[in-house]
């Protein structure tokens, strides 16, 4: 069956890359063309994303990475997710009068893990010197890049916060005191200076490629970068979500004591396919739980545009997200045996048997190993909604519609997104990474460094004894969720999407459209998409919504009517408003030749796939 696509599926034999921004995709491909491998290419593209999508990620953010190395023939997960500071605890936040960790400002900072994540991958799997990998990002930051409209919308939404309270951010993002224009060249000299200083320091300390990378890691986490972060977070008091000003908890010692970890990925089988995800410190197992439930859903009998397809996946998502709330996390009360049981076929079959032809309106966490779930007090979020100062944005990246004329109109605020990059090289090495955090509106830029720090700690709870309770030196459970799939035991595809709580919904429906219904990568990306809200949001102020499904208006009218009849609260959005997928695959043709393919999201006119 032929499906409409906005662009061709990219096909080649040499290399492919796909990301949420054309400059990152092209950077990755340029590295492959000049002899770099997939790990070199993904790292270079990741640093470029920090520059060209600053509203969605930054140098002070984090990155989970999934990779397949042809050298060791294993799927690995790199946790570029930093932990909570040693001073961050339930007691510390309660002493300040908080019932929730705030969404913006200095208090919700974690150790910025992106630099450590990218460099750990580059050191252990790459081939290029650090200077060559950083060169494209430094060039764009120094000499200019086109600031996309979405970035301008982010600046416009928080311009009052910058002018009134975050002067260091105003100095960067409001040149001449004005909101920049979409498409105009924009420069980040402070960030370029920081990366150049790291390079100079590292090259003075190390002589080999790996010595320079290790020296750069020390420079970042034990040198001038860590010292500048400590001084700013210790001494400045900054306006945050409370409407008041607070200093931060992040310290030099938190930085100096951390390094990115390399772990085995979690996997689950679905027919010929094995999907790999990051562990229960991420949202990744939500994908696996849904996939395990949907083994029993007979999706091959329900076309992707039908209510049967959408309803079945939606009901599985509701159950998996309820389990995320009750069981996911790294805190001391996390039960690793219960977490493992969440992925057993016996448990997932029983969960699927809870679904029916009618939409569920209840939040139903399961009982792995017969253990009773414990949920956070969701009334806290309702109280926060009544008292929170949300004038300057919430925990997610916040955007405002730009006015059509010179005079600024009333702001229409909306939220969401992060970044993603996938790369496959000619040797079969694969990378899937979802960098985020440290976006320009998350926290004030550190003047001496030119970038902001992640506020990922807002994803923890302040109820004692939960798997994701805010805990000193423990990483929060992140929404970031890259994906890697094997087919018949061979590495097949890397894929992922921005979107916070929607990531493992959009990526799952894409995957099923591809492997069950045979759509090619671009067809599966372009097909009408949706997401469900049936859980407390991961971002401050963490409002709980139940049984609401948001669909693109390109779904047939009979599908929308059938979902409403099944009891779903249906919200119909714009025709191209859901999903930000990117994907690359590798397979053999009938003659046994390796064929590489890629597709990218057309929504927003930023994502691109390239290859040859």
């Amino acid at each position: 069956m032929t499906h409409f696509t906005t662009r061709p599926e990219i096909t080649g034999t040499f290399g492919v890359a796909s990301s949420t921004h054309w400059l990152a995709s092209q950077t990755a491909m340029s590295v492959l063309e000049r002899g770099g491998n997939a790990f070199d290419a993904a790292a270079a593209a990741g640093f470029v994303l920090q520059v060209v999508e600053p509203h969605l990620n930054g140098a002070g953010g984090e990155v989970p990475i999934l990779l397949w190395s042809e050298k060791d023939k294993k799927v690995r997960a790199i946790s570029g997710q930093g932990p909570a500071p040693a001073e961050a605890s339930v007691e510390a936040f309660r002493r300040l009068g908080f019932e929730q960790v705030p969404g913006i400002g200095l208090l919700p900072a974690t150790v910025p893990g992106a630099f450590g994540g990218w460099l750990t991958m580059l050191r252990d799997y790459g081939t290029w010197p650090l200077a060559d990998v950083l060169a494209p990002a430094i060039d764009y930051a120094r000499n200019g890049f086109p600031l996309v409209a979405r970035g301008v919308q982010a600046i416009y939404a928080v311009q009052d916060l910058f002018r009134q309270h975050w002067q260091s951010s105003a100095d960067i993002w409001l040149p001449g005191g004005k909101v920049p224009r979409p498409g105009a060249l924009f420069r980040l000299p402070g960030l370029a200076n920081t990366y150049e200083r790291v390079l100079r320091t590292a090259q003075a300390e190390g002589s080999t490629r790996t010595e320079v990378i290790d020296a750069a890691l020390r420079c970042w986490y034990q040198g001038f970068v860590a010292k500048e972060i400590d001084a700013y977070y210790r001494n400045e008091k900054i306006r945050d979500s409370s409407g008041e000003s607070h200093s931060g908890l992040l310290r030099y010692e938190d930085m100096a004591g951390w390094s990115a970890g390399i772990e085995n990925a979690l996997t689950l089988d679905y027919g010929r396919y094995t999907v790999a995800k990051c562990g229960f410190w991420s949202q990744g197992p939500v994908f696996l739980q849904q996939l395990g439930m949907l083994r029993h859903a007979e999706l091959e009998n329900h076309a992707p545009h039908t209510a049967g397809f959408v309803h079945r996946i939606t009901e599985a998502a509701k159950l998996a997200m309820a389990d995320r709330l009750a069981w996911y996390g790294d805190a001391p009360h996390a039960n690793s045996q219960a977490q493992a049981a969440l992925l057993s076929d016996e448990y997932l079959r029983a969960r699927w048997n809870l679904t029916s032809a009618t939409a569920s309106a209840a939040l139903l966490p399961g009982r792995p190993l017969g253990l009773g779930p414990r949920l956070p007090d969701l009334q806290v979020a309702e109280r926060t909604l009544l008292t929170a100062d949300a004038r300057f944005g919430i925990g997610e990246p916040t955007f405002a519609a730009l006015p059509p004329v010179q005079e600024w109109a009333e702001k229409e605020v909306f939220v969401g997104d992060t970044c993603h990059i996938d790369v496959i090289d000619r040797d079969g090495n694969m990378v899937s990474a979802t960098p985020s955090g440290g976006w320009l509106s998350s926290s004030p830029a550190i003047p001496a460094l030119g970038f902001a720090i992640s506020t990922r700690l807002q994803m923890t709870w302040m109820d004692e004894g939960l798997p994701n309770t805010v805990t000193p030196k423990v990483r929060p459970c992140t929404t970031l969720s890259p994906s890697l799939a094997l087919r018949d035991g061979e590495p097949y595809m890397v894929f992922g999407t921005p979107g916070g709580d929607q990531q493992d919904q959009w990526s799952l429906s894409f995957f099923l459209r591809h492997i069950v219904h045979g759509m090619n990568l671009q067809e599966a990306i372009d097909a009408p998409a949706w997401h469900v809200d049936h859980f407390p949001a991961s971002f401050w102020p963490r409002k709980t919504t139940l049984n609401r499904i948001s669909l693109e208006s390109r779904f047939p009218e009979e599908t929308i009517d059938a979902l409403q009849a099944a009891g779903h609260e249906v919200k119909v959005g714009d025709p191209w408003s859901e999903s930000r997928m990117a994907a690359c695959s590798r397979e053999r043709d009938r003659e046994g030749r390796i064929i590489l393919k890629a597709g990218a999201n057309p929504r927003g006119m930023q994502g691109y796939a390239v290859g040859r």
Side-chain angles (χ1 to χ4, degrees):
M1 180 178 179
T2 301
H3 302 273
F4 166 80
T5 60
T6 57
R7 58 186 75 170
E9 180 186 59
I10 299 298
T11 304
T13 58
F14 178 81
V16 285
S18 180
S19 84
T20 50
H21 196 290
W22 72 91
L23 289 177
S25 299
Q26 188 55 41
T27 295
M29 194 66 207
S30 74
V31 173
L32 296 180
E33 294 283 8
R34 290 178 287 154
N37 66 16
F39 312 112
D40 304 317
F47 284 112
V48 167
L49 283 171
Q50 294 175 3
V51 178
V52 301
E53 291 197 284
H55 51 301
L56 304 177
N57 81 139
E62 54 271 319
V63 60
I65 303 170
L66 285 172
L67 60 86
W68 172 275
S69 167
E70 276 295 302
K71 182 178 180 180
D72 59 17
K73 295 191 179 298
K74 290 182 180 179
V75 183
R76 298 292 193 188
I78 297 180
S79 174
Q81 173 59 65
E87 294 185 20
S89 65
V90 172
E91 296 77 14
F93 282 103
R94 292 204 187 283
R95 282 196 301 269
L96 295 171
F98 286 97
E99 287 190 291
Q100 282 187 296
V101 177
I104 63 171
L106 303 183
L107 285 171
T110 55
V111 172
F115 192 81
W118 287 123
L119 263 65
T120 296
M121 180 185 73
L122 180 66
R123 179 194 63 200
D124 294 355
Y125 297 95
T127 63
W128 269 29
L130 180 59
D132 292 343
V133 168
L134 283 176
I138 292 173
D139 182 70
Y140 283 125
R142 176 73 66 201
N143 298 315
F145 61 95
L147 188 58
V148 297
R150 191 76 162 163
V152 176
Q153 289 174 319
I155 297 168
Y156 178 62
V158 294
Q159 60 178 310
D160 292 340
L161 172 64
F162 286 3
R163 289 193 177 101
Q164 297 172 25
H165 303 288
W166 294 7
Q167 186 57 51
S168 60
S169 294
D171 292 342
I172 295 173
W173 302 109
L174 297 171
K178 297 180 180 179
V179 175
R181 294 294 173 182
L185 284 183
F186 199 89
R187 295 173 177 82
L188 296 171
L191 179 61
N193 291 341
T194 294
Y195 276 136
E196 287 174 343
R197 183 178 173 187
V198 169
L199 268 177
R200 288 195 304 272
T201 303
Q203 289 169 336
E205 292 183 14
S207 55
T208 68
R209 190 187 79 90
T210 56
E211 286 175 352
V212 170
I213 293 172
D214 282 334
L217 286 167
R218 290 193 300 273
C219 184
W220 195 272
Y221 292 102
Q222 300 170 23
F224 82 91
V225 175
K227 292 174 182 176
E228 292 290 352
I229 292 172
D230 178 283
Y232 193 81
Y233 274 66
R234 187 186 300 269
N235 299 318
E236 298 294 327
K237 288 194 173 183
I238 298 296
R239 174 72 68 93
D240 56 36
S241 305
S242 67
E244 300 176 354
S245 296
H246 297 94
S247 56
L249 304 174
L250 188 59
R251 299 289 182 263
Y252 173 87
E253 291 77 15
D254 300 314
M255 304 273 290
W258 181 81
S259 61
I262 301 179
E263 309 169 359
N264 292 324
L266 295 179
T267 61
L268 188 134
D269 295 333
Y270 186 99
R272 299 172 62 190
Y273 298 87
T274 300
V275 179
K277 301 291 285 188
C278 296
F280 283 94
W281 53 269
S282 78
Q283 183 176 247
V286 163
F287 186 110
L288 303 182
Q289 285 196 262
Q290 293 175 87
L291 198 63
M293 286 183 252
L294 292 166
R295 289 171 179 151
H296 314 292
E298 299 180 344
L299 290 178
E300 64 275 10
N301 297 326
H302 302 276
H305 65 277
T306 65
F309 187 79
V310 176
H311 172 77
R312 283 162 172 77
I313 296 173
T314 294
E315 294 306 294
K318 291 177 180 179
L319 293 170
M321 292 300 245
D323 280 346
R324 182 189 71 162
L325 180 64
W327 298 106
Y328 289 22
D330 250 6
H333 282 83
N335 186 322
S336 59
Q337 291 180 320
Q339 290 174 344
L342 294 174
L343 300 180
S344 71
D345 186 60
E346 179 184 10
Y347 177 83
L348 293 171
R349 183 187 294 269
R351 294 290 274 166
W352 176 249
N353 289 337
L354 295 175
T355 66
S356 71
T358 302
S360 172
L363 191 63
L364 296 173
R367 300 174 61 88
L369 305 179
L371 300 172
R374 182 167 167 233
L375 302 180
D377 181 2
L378 301 182
Q379 295 302 312
V380 170
E382 297 303 317
R383 291 195 295 270
T384 300
L385 284 168
L386 295 175
T387 61
D389 183 356
R391 290 174 297 160
F392 303 124
I394 60 174
E396 290 185 89
T398 306
F399 308 88
L402 296 177
V405 293
Q406 183 68 25
E407 296 78 18
W408 297 123
E410 183 70 20
K411 290 192 294 183
E412 177 190 351
V413 174
F414 47 104
V415 299
D417 272 353
T418 180
C419 307
H420 188 80
I421 175 74
D422 298 308
V423 184
I424 303 178
D425 66 27
R426 66 192 307 175
D427 296 319
N429 299 305
M430 297 184 176
V431 179
S432 179
T434 310
S436 188
W439 47 73
L440 63 89
S441 54
S442 60
S443 60
I446 298 171
L449 300 176
F451 62 81
I453 300 297
S454 172
T455 54
R456 191 64 57 175
L457 201 61
Q458 66 178 291
M459 294 189 170
T460 57
W461 296 99
M462 284 176 52
D463 307 70
E464 297 279 7
L466 298 177
N468 195 31
T469 297
V470 56
T471 306
K473 300 183 180 182
V474 170
R475 58 191 166 181
C477 185
T478 178
T479 52
L480 304 175
S481 191
S483 304
L484 190 152
L486 311 180
R487 186 168 71 179
D488 301 328
E490 295 295 322
Y492 173 63
M493 183 164 65
V494 280
F495 58 105
T497 177
D501 291 315
Q502 287 77 53
Q503 288 180 35
D504 285 301
Q505 300 186 55
W506 291 335
S507 58
L508 179 82
S509 59
F510 154 81
F511 183 69
L512 293 169
R513 287 191 292 267
H514 177 60
I515 70 164
V516 175
H517 292 286
M519 290 184 173
N520 71 34
L521 299 185
Q522 195 61 50
E523 290 169 344
I525 289 170
D526 285 355
W530 78 93
H531 79 272
V532 62
D533 293 303
H534 190 80
F535 41 81
S538 291
F539 294 90
W540 183 92
R542 313 206 70 169
K543 181 181 179 181
T544 299
T545 304
L546 299 178
N547 194 32
R548 185 176 68 194
I549 184 170
S550 299
L551 302 97
E552 291 180 333
S553 60
R554 291 182 294 129
F555 274 99
E557 187 174 342
E558 56 266 29
T559 297
I560 295 172
D561 291 343
L563 291 168
Q564 290 174 328
H568 295 277
E569 178 193 328
V570 175
K571 178 182 178 182
V572 179
D574 292 336
W576 296 91
S577 55
E578 297 280 330
S579 179
R580 307 287 185 270
M581 289 299 307
C584 298
S585 68
R586 181 180 188 268
E587 58 185 294
R588 295 185 184 274
D589 67 9
R590 293 179 180 178
E591 285 73 43
R593 296 169 299 190
I594 295 296
I595 303 297
L596 305 178
K597 299 180 179 180
N601 168 55
R603 300 161 178 89
M605 298 183 292
Q606 277 186 224
Y608 265 88
V610 294
R612 75 162 176 92

